[in-house]
Amino acid sequence: MATRLYTYWRSSAAYRVRIALNLKGIDYEPVAVSLKPGDDEHREDAYRAINPQMLVPFFDDGKVAIGQSMAILEYVEEAYPQMPLLPDAEPSRSKVRAFCNAIACDIHPLNNLRVLKYLSDELDASDKQKSDWYAHWVTEGFRACEQMSVRYAHDGPYAFGRDITLADALLVPQMYNARRFKVPLDEYPRLVAVADACNEVQAFQDAAPENQPDFL
Ligand SMILES: N[C@@H](CCC(=O)N[C@@H](CS)C(=O)NCC(=O)O)C(=O)O
């Protein structure tokens, strides 16, 4: 069976996994699940039967079928050791994971589609309130990530220096989202430079939203 990734072009959590699969040279079949309001394919029974959480991404290589991008990235790192995306040694290995979780656990869940929808549908938040909310959580998280990465600036262009790691696979999609929601980025010169360096790499370019078959 071909490895499958259930994905949506604009999903930043799926974008993380696309980057890692491309970096590792893992061939996969993208299965598009449209999150577009009105389509809401992720909420249909057919998709719920695949992923009870009704979120993308979902990964299936015939051996392991799982949701949750961090779980997928950790699994892929263990099962496909080529082009390692975690440093071999501590403390860098744990520091990369901490950077990833600052984005995956502390920024992204607060700014997810269903959270923004709840703010407007249930709490009557205005567009301005929603974009302030969005920028607030990105700002809190990016301030910390900037500090975490700036220590490695002397060592190379990527978040943790010379080698591309999972931190870069998390940062680039979050940076894409920050730009999409027009969050000011002047405070994060290191993060902007890291994302620019990553975006020079083919694997990142191939994972970009505008290069997905389901791009609208
Ligand atoms: N923690 C999950 C988050 C997944 C997630 O929130 N995916 C978003 C797209 S980036 C989604 O499917 N949203 C659908 C919704 O909010 O209804 C992960 O890292 O995979």
Side-chain angles (χ1 to χ4, degrees):
M1 173 200 138
T3 294
R4 283 193 194 138
L5 181 69
Y6 296 80
T7 173
Y8 178 57
W9 65 277
R10 209 175 218 171
S11 157
S12 59
Y15 188 177
R16 299 167 187 161
V17 178
R18 297 195 299 256
I19 292 169
L21 296 178
N22 292 348
L23 285 167
K24 285 178 175 286
I26 300 170
D27 242 357
Y28 70 92
E29 178 194 330
V31 182
V33 180
S34 177
L35 307 187
K36 191 173 154 219
D39 288 353
D40 299 308
E41 288 175 356
H42 61 306
R43 304 198 68 86
E44 288 174 6
D45 288 346
Y47 187 63
R48 182 189 237 151
I50 294 165
N51 183 3
Q53 264 204 301
M54 297 184 287
L55 300 170
V56 293
F58 189 85
F59 175 86
D60 185 355
D61 66 355
K63 296 185 277 277
V64 167
I66 43 167
Q68 287 295 340
S69 62
M70 289 312 300
I72 299 168
L73 292 170
E74 290 276 356
Y75 166 69
V76 164
E77 186 62 10
E78 285 164 12
Y80 303 86
Q82 67 270 27
M83 174 77 193
L85 296 176
L86 281 172
D88 283 342
E90 295 292 6
S92 313
R93 202 171 162 85
S94 295
K95 283 179 188 284
V96 168
R97 288 186 165 118
F99 183 102
C100 291
N101 284 346
I103 293 175
C105 304
D106 296 334
I107 300 180
H108 180 268
L110 289 159
N111 286 349
N112 195 3
L113 179 65
R114 60 193 169 143
V115 171
L116 300 178
K117 197 165 158 359
Y118 188 88
L119 289 176
S120 49
D121 293 358
E122 305 296 327
L123 302 180
D124 267 343
S126 64
D127 286 349
K128 158 93 174 71
Q129 285 172 314
K130 271 200 308 184
S131 61
D132 288 352
W133 166 280
Y134 195 98
H136 175 79
W137 299 114
V138 172
T139 302
E140 288 243 319
F142 269 12
R143 276 188 184 143
C145 288
E146 177 78 8
Q147 289 313 308
M148 290 185 217
S149 175
V150 89
R151 299 178 194 166
Y152 297 85
H154 63 279
D155 205 25
Y158 304 116
F160 281 78
R162 209 174 45 247
D163 299 320
I164 294 175
T165 65
L166 288 181
D168 301 294
L170 269 284
L171 175 64
V172 165
Q174 191 59 59
M175 187 63 82
Y176 169 88
N177 274 358
R179 291 199 159 111
R180 180 179 159 213
F181 286 88
K182 302 192 174 22
V183 178
L185 297 171
D186 312 334
E187 265 191 73
Y188 325 110
R190 169 73 181 154
L191 297 184
V192 168
V194 168
D196 288 349
C198 291
N199 284 326
E200 296 289 313
V201 176
Q202 192 67 46
F204 283 82
Q205 291 169 11
D206 292 344
E210 62 276 15
N211 294 327
Q212 302 316 298
D214 58 329
F215 174 69
L216 298 173

